[in-house]
Amino acid sequence: MASSLCLNTCALPRAAKQSLSSLIQLHKFPSFLPHKYCISRASASVSVSLSDKKELRSPDLVALEYADLNLTDKISQELGHVRIRQHVNPLSSSFSVPAPVPDWSEVFKDPTLPLMVDIGSGSGRFLLWLAKQNPDSKNYLGLEIREKLVKRAEFWVKELALSNIHFIFANAAVSFRQLVSAYPGPLMLVSILCPDPHFKKRHQKRRVVQKPLVDSILTSLMPEGKVFIQSDVLEVAEDMRKQLDAESDVLHHIDMVDPSMLCDDEGWLLNNPMGIRTEREIHAEFEGAKIYRRLYQKKRVCNELSG
């Protein structure tokens, strides 16, 4: 029988999952597990069974991190196999048309709840996990420029029967303002997590965090609303940080208002404040990369941006 990573995901206790994940990530645990590793807490237990020296891969850790969702591997016949094209040119004419604004009362059970928008939502697992944790108190909107990922994420939304999350195929640079301005409730949080780096100098104008989008976010954000950015590429993280630090008349960094949010000597957050890592974050940390994070909060009283 082929070796395999066996997880009882339906009964996996959250504390045990986090304990095992913390042991494995960042190479604090060996890259292989001999025989069986068990964690027990009260009456709940979880075991990971592997044959001798079966190396763990980062997809195994993604499955572990998102075990609470218990997503099936099946996808619709129409969607077919989903291949992720890593880099998309958002300046292409094919992405220049704004996404239509949905009827929010059809999209969400309660469209007046505070809204989180994840720009570049990827597979959607990160946002789905958050939505499942807060079914009655918050709404979640994922904007993604890769249409097949949006279709699969919406398939999972139906599978999980969630009424507080929606995904839209959209270029955020073109569609963010009109989508969010039409939403009936307050915008509480915008996240931009590990966006496409577009390394080449001539391609850096394709990066998602540009001045017009920053202005749209800050105009739409409620007082004390937050902007969370992160990347495993220092150059990209510094670029996003520079643009948001420049808005000091509108934004505080979170450590200025919440001393419990600890930073390193260079001002990067030491811990992920969301309670769940993104898939890219898991892959990057597995490879030994550092994640550069910043969390900003909009001032209660500030000079409103024009337009």
Side-chain angles (χ1 to χ4, degrees):
M1 181 179 294
S3 60
S4 61
L5 180 67
C6 302
L7 296 175
N8 182 9
T9 57
C10 294
L12 184 64
R14 182 178 175 188
K17 180 193 73 172
Q18 292 176 336
S19 297
L20 180 55
S21 180
S22 65
L23 284 171
I24 297 173
Q25 65 173 307
L26 295 175
H27 303 290
K28 292 178 182 177
F29 200 79
S31 60
F32 63 88
L33 295 174
H35 306 299
K36 179 177 289 189
Y37 184 82
C38 298
I39 295 177
S40 298
R41 186 178 72 119
S43 60
S45 65
V46 58
S47 65
V48 180
S49 301
L50 300 116
S51 64
D52 290 354
K53 298 189 178 181
K54 194 269 184 186
E55 289 192 8
L56 288 171
R57 302 173 302 121
S58 56
D60 298 328
L61 299 186
V62 171
L64 181 66
E65 193 95 2
Y66 289 97
D68 290 345
L69 290 178
N70 195 30
L71 294 173
T72 65
D73 292 331
K74 66 178 181 179
I75 53 178
S76 67
Q77 185 175 1
E78 175 189 354
L79 183 59
H81 179 62
V82 177
R83 294 186 61 187
I84 302 175
R85 184 179 178 186
Q86 291 298 330
H87 302 296
V88 174
N89 180 8
L91 302 181
S92 169
S93 60
S94 60
F95 299 120
S96 63
V97 178
V101 177
D103 182 338
W104 298 112
S105 63
E106 292 183 0
V107 168
F108 298 120
K109 180 180 178 181
D110 181 356
T112 67
L113 291 177
L115 179 69
M116 173 183 174
V117 178
D118 187 31
I119 294 176
S121 52
S123 74
R125 289 183 179 91
F126 168 74
L127 216 57
L128 285 163
W129 188 90
L130 291 173
K132 188 175 179 181
Q133 302 302 308
N134 304 284
D136 301 315
S137 59
K138 299 178 181 69
N139 286 333
Y140 297 87
L141 178 65
L143 304 182
E144 173 55 51
I145 203 168
R146 300 166 180 87
E147 190 171 15
K148 274 197 171 184
L149 292 182
V150 173
K151 289 181 178 179
R152 186 177 64 179
E154 279 295 289
F155 177 82
W156 283 337
V157 169
K158 294 177 182 177
E159 186 174 62
L160 295 171
L162 295 172
S163 60
N164 65 330
I165 183 169
H166 184 60
F167 293 90
I168 295 179
F169 167 53
N171 180 352
V174 173
S175 300
F176 180 89
R177 184 186 290 264
Q178 72 173 28
L179 287 171
V180 174
S181 63
Y183 180 74
L187 177 64
M188 66 168 184
L189 173 62
V190 176
S191 58
I192 306 172
L193 309 178
C194 300
D196 287 347
H198 296 295
F199 289 110
K200 294 180 180 179
K201 188 171 182 179
R202 70 178 186 272
H203 290 165
Q204 290 180 7
K205 59 186 177 181
R206 300 178 182 180
R207 289 179 178 174
V208 65
V209 179
Q210 305 287 347
K211 176 65 173 172
L213 179 60
V214 171
D215 288 347
S216 294
I217 291 171
L218 299 187
T219 299
S220 305
L221 201 62
M222 64 182 285
E224 299 187 353
K226 295 179 175 64
V227 181
F228 178 42
I229 58 170
Q230 76 175 20
S231 179
D232 58 305
V233 179
L234 178 58
E235 177 189 341
V236 174
E238 288 179 333
D239 185 29
M240 294 191 291
R241 174 178 180 169
K242 180 179 179 181
Q243 296 197 52
L244 292 172
D245 282 356
E247 305 294 340
S248 58
D249 58 332
V250 180
L251 295 173
H252 293 291
H253 187 256
I254 195 64
D255 64 344
M256 296 182 65
V257 292
D258 185 354
S260 69
M261 302 293 288
L262 301 179
C263 297
D264 65 16
D265 293 340
E266 297 179 345
W268 302 108
L269 284 175
L270 291 176
N271 300 301
N272 184 330
M274 302 303 296
I276 188 75
R277 295 182 295 166
T278 67
E279 292 174 65
R280 177 59 200 165
E281 192 175 350
I282 295 168
H283 294 313
E285 288 190 332
F286 181 78
E287 295 169 358
K290 178 177 177 178
I291 307 298
Y292 302 93
R293 307 180 182 94
R294 296 277 285 176
L295 179 63
Y296 298 86
Q297 179 172 297
K298 186 175 181 180
K299 296 180 180 180
R300 180 170 287 277
V301 178
C302 61
N303 296 325
E304 293 297 329
L305 299 174
S306 61

